[in-house]
């Protein structure tokens, strides 16, 4: 009996995801798809603690080493909590557009865009030693 309920719930979720993605294809290209929102939420929950290291690095670059050792980790803990909460909100609401979350940061209105910027925990600016992004593969508009 439990197996039937699991299969039914999985089928309903799959139909909802396919419906959301197919309707999304007809909308404006600036709006993120719900599947990307779900992936962003999972990544934010899984890798949110990296904010402690990254905020320490950012504060060190902006204000120096002492601030990076003291204020940086404290700022990182605050951003970790925020990143985890935003990740859970993205996971729970991935099928629905939220107000004030457009993909284009200069646009206002409803969308599937990120609640928090940068949208991902590790962005191109924090790519130490090509760990996440291979710089040879990043296309720049400077060419």
């Amino acid at each position: 009996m439990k197996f039937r309920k699991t299969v039914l719930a999985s089928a309903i979720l799959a139909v909802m995801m396919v419906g959301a993605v197919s309707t999304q294809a007809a909308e404006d290209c600036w709006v993120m798809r719900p599947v990307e929102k779900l992936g962003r939420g999972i990544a934010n929950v899984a890798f949110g603690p990296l904010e402690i290291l990254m905020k320490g690095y950012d504060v060190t670059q902006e204000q120096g080493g002492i601030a990076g050792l003291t204020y940086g980790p404290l700022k990182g803990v605050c951003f970790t909590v925020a990143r985890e909460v935003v990740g859970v909100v993205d996971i729970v609401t991935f099928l629905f557009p939220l107000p004030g979350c457009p993909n284009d940061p200069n646009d206002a209105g409803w969308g599937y865009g990120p609640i928090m910027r940068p949208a991902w925990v590790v962005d191109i600016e924090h790519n130490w030693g090509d760990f996440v992004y291979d710089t040879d593969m990043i296309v720049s508009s400077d060419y």
Side-chain angles (χ1 to χ4, degrees), residues 10 20 31-32 41-42 99 107 131 134 136:
S10 300
V31 179
M32 291 183 155
I42 292 170
D107 190 17
F131 182 68
D134 185 6
D136 296 333

Side-chain angles (χ1 to χ4, degrees), residues 33-52:
R33 296 185 320 206
V35 175
E36 185 174 349
K37 183 177 176 182
L38 176 63
R40 186 177 59 240
I42 292 170
N44 284 338
V45 169
F47 300 110
L50 288 176
E51 287 282 4
I52 297 170

Side-chain angles (χ1 to χ4, degrees), residues 77-138:
V77 168
C78 293
F79 272 81
T80 297
V81 171
R83 181 81 57 188
E84 297 289 328
V85 170
V86 165
V88 169
V89 169
D90 276 346
I91 291 170
V92 171
T93 64
F94 80 97
L95 286 174
F96 311 106
L98 294 178
C101 297
N103 189 26
D104 182 7
N106 297 324
D107 190 17
W110 290 71
Y112 292 96
I115 297 172
M116 182 175 196
R117 302 258 180 205
W120 302 88
V121 176
V122 179
D123 58 346
I124 294 174
E125 294 176 11
H126 296 97
N127 184 28
W128 301 300
D130 295 340
F131 182 68
V132 177
Y133 301 102
D134 185 6
T135 54
D136 296 333
M137 305 307 273
I138 297 174

Side-chain angles (χ1 to χ4, degrees), residues 8-61:
L8 180 63
S10 300
I12 291 171
L13 182 62
V15 167
M16 288 171 50
M17 287 177 61
V18 168
V21 170
S22 64
T23 56
Q24 203 54 37
E27 288 188 30
D28 190 20
C29 65
W30 284 106
V31 179
M32 291 183 155
R33 296 185 320 206
V35 175
E36 185 174 349
K37 183 177 176 182
L38 176 63
R40 186 177 59 240
I42 292 170
N44 284 338
V45 169
F47 300 110
L50 288 176
E51 287 282 4
I52 297 170
L53 298 174
M54 295 201 307
K55 293 305 174 198
Y57 173 79
D58 289 345
V59 169
T60 300
Q61 296 301 314

